[in-house]
Amino acid sequence: MDFQVGVIAGDGIGPEIVAEARKVLDCVGSKFGHVFRYTEILMGGCSIDATGVPLTDEAIAAAKASDAVLMGSIGGNTSTSPWYKLAPELRPEAGLLKLRKELNLFANLRPAYLYEELKAACPLREDIIGEGFDMMIMRELTGGLYFGARKTEQVDGVTVATDTLTYSENEIRRIAKRGFDIAMKRRKKVTSVDKANVLDSSRLWRKIVEEVAADYPQVAYEHMLVDNCAMQLVKDPKQFDVILTENMFGDILSDEASMVTGSIGMLASASLNDTKFGLYEPSGGSAPDIAGKGIANPIATILSAAMMLRYSFDLDKEADAVEAAVRAVLKQGFRTIDIMPQAGETRDGIVQVGTAQMGDKICENI
Ligand code: NAD
């Protein structure tokens, strides 16, 4: 099949890591008989330099015309880059926020997977880690507290700040369906996280999730209060498959879950709308401190491309092949600098490689 992929290489290490993800996609294409065609899209600091704004209307149109978008990262050094002397709406990040809104990307997916070979980077005890864990945090991205009405005012001479947490049943239903669909492609378990003992929005969340769950009899589901979930993530992360939650809870829990996996260079992410379309990007930033050195870890971006194969193109076999190749490369001992053993750990059989070499090794294993 033919797929049109919009590519936002972006700033810093973005172009280096995206080049490796494209290399891997092309390798998948030749092995499985698909053609991936790429449209380069400018966004972030590079767009500011070229056009004066972080995202042009042409760039938005190009993204919308694609089957999915693969992104590196945007932004520069926030203390020294001239981009950060601009007004907030003209800075690199404004481009990404605008793109997410334009594309209606309401479902954010962040997998947290612990590789056997990188267990030492996990801050949890060996007996807690056990055979490792593999979960997917599904966070609602366009509603809730971050988008509700807010104000700061004087009341009887005292400053009072108010934020509002609003969810409609439609917003909850569409993310819940996405969560259960994703669970069907995984181990068929959903943990819906809320604060239903306190919040009305959470009680509605629970009611709608139960309605959606009725349409997925093969998926086991449970409700969990967010404070308990925060504890369970460090007490017994193996219990989770898909964690389905609202915007703010997901923001916090996804960072907690990624922290327990170790390296930022390994963490993929996807943001989806209600069609097959998605924006796929590594969880890390543009890492200006290592940009241009050829040492950045491309695995998070390569795994984001694998998510694109799975969730936008329904190419599960191909996505499995990429994920298996990443595991194989780690098993063979190849590491970029960020996932090299720490002081005191054995380096036997470990070979440090650069960004492009890591991409090559993954292709060899596909
Ligand atoms: P960062 O994630 O870019 O870097 C934090 C640390 O992690 C750095 O030491 C960096 O070298 C390392 N790192 C990150 N990705 C890596 C990789 N693939 N391989 C090896 N090491 C890696 O976070 P920051 O320094 O706070 O932000 C830098 C810029 O990135 C800022 O402009 C920020 O706004 C932007 N940012 C962009 C996105 C995005 O594009 N979605 C996300 C987060 C931050």
Side-chain angles (χ1 to χ4, degrees):
M1 288 171 76
D2 267 32
F3 298 97
Q4 192 66 45
V5 180
V7 177
I8 299 174
D11 308 313
I13 60 170
E16 299 165 54
I17 53 184
V18 158
E20 299 315 305
R22 279 178 63 162
K23 193 191 272 178
V24 168
L25 282 176
D26 290 338
C27 172
V28 166
S30 51
K31 165 134 193 194
F32 292 88
H34 306 297
V35 177
F36 299 101
R37 297 182 204 285
Y38 305 100
T39 312
E40 314 253 356
I41 300 172
L42 272 185
M43 188 173 84
C46 54
S47 174
I48 297 173
D49 291 346
T51 70
V53 291
L55 184 72
T56 61
D57 290 344
E58 295 75 52
I60 295 171
K64 285 184 174 170
S66 309
D67 296 321
V69 173
L70 178 68
M71 185 180 137
S73 49
I74 53 153
N77 184 312
T78 48
S79 315
T80 57
S81 164
W83 299 327
Y84 294 93
K85 295 192 172 59
L86 299 167
E89 66 277 13
L90 290 176
R91 292 179 192 169
E93 290 73 18
L96 182 55
L97 294 178
K98 188 172 176 191
L99 188 68
R100 283 184 180 149
K101 194 158 177 244
E102 286 282 339
L103 299 173
N104 194 23
L105 301 171
F106 65 85
N108 182 245
L109 280 176
R110 265 167 74 170
Y113 180 87
L114 185 66
Y115 291 89
E116 174 71 29
E117 293 73 18
L118 303 181
K119 270 186 178 172
C122 173
L124 302 180
R125 281 200 324 258
E126 187 100 38
D127 59 314
I128 295 176
I129 302 169
E131 300 292 296
F133 50 82
D134 175 8
M135 69 186 108
M136 181 74 84
I137 312 270
M138 176 123 206
R139 164 189 171 193
E140 203 287 332
L141 203 58
T142 55
L145 200 58
Y146 297 174
F147 289 87
R150 63 177 59 103
K151 62 182 174 189
T152 301
E153 60 189 338
Q154 293 296 314
V155 179
D156 298 333
V158 178
T159 307
V160 177
T162 309
D163 298 285
T164 2
L165 201 179
T166 303
Y167 270 109
S168 74
E169 58 179 297
N170 299 344
E171 286 173 302
I172 301 169
R173 188 166 282 108
R174 66 179 184 178
I175 184 90
K177 279 188 177 162
R178 271 296 172 135
F180 280 82
D181 284 340
I182 302 282
M184 287 294 289
K185 285 188 174 238
R186 296 173 47 94
R187 300 193 309 279
K188 301 192 174 61
K189 181 179 174 194
V190 169
T191 303
S192 173
V193 174
D194 60 39
K195 189 70 183 170
N197 52 344
V198 180
L199 301 175
D200 262 26
S201 55
S202 281
R203 283 189 276 274
L204 180 63
W205 181 277
R206 221 173 243 225
K207 175 173 177 282
I208 302 300
V209 168
E210 279 178 10
E211 287 174 17
V212 171
D215 294 331
Y216 295 83
Q218 307 95 315
V219 178
Y221 81 98
E222 62 181 349
H223 300 288
M224 191 176 279
L225 295 176
V226 61
D227 37 352
N228 184 25
C229 185
M231 287 193 289
Q232 295 299 328
L233 275 172
V234 289
K235 188 166 170 257
D236 181 19
K238 299 184 290 296
Q239 68 184 287
F240 295 112
D241 180 16
V242 174
I243 293 180
L244 169 67
T245 192
E246 59 97 61
N247 202 344
M248 180 179 60
F249 298 159
D251 189 6
I252 299 165
L253 294 176
S254 60
D255 266 21
E256 187 187 359
S258 47
M259 184 56 223
V260 294
T261 65
S263 169
I264 186 97
M266 301 293 294
L267 298 168
S269 89
S271 302
L272 313 174
N273 67 14
D274 48 11
T275 68
K276 283 278 167 197
F277 185 89
L279 171 74
Y280 298 85
E281 55 174 320
S283 294
S286 61
D289 52 333
I290 56 167
K293 297 185 178 164
I295 58 171
N297 187 345
I299 292 181
T301 318
I302 290 168
L303 292 172
S304 301
M307 290 181 84
M308 179 170 81
L309 296 174
R310 193 181 302 284
Y311 297 117
S312 281
F313 303 158
D314 276 325
L315 299 177
D316 288 356
K317 201 165 29 71
E318 291 79 344
D320 288 345
V322 176
E323 289 166 1
V326 168
R327 284 194 293 274
V329 162
L330 294 177
K331 207 167 267 289
Q332 289 154 10
F334 298 107
R335 305 276 190 278
T336 44
I337 191 164
D338 56 310
I339 51 173
M340 282 295 283
Q342 302 298 305
E345 294 170 32
T346 176
R347 293 194 170 216
D348 290 349
I350 301 293
V351 183
Q352 187 175 326
V353 294
T355 312
Q357 238 182 320
M358 181 57 94
D360 291 341
K361 293 288 167 200
I362 291 169
C363 287
E364 280 167 26
N365 278 280
I366 291 172

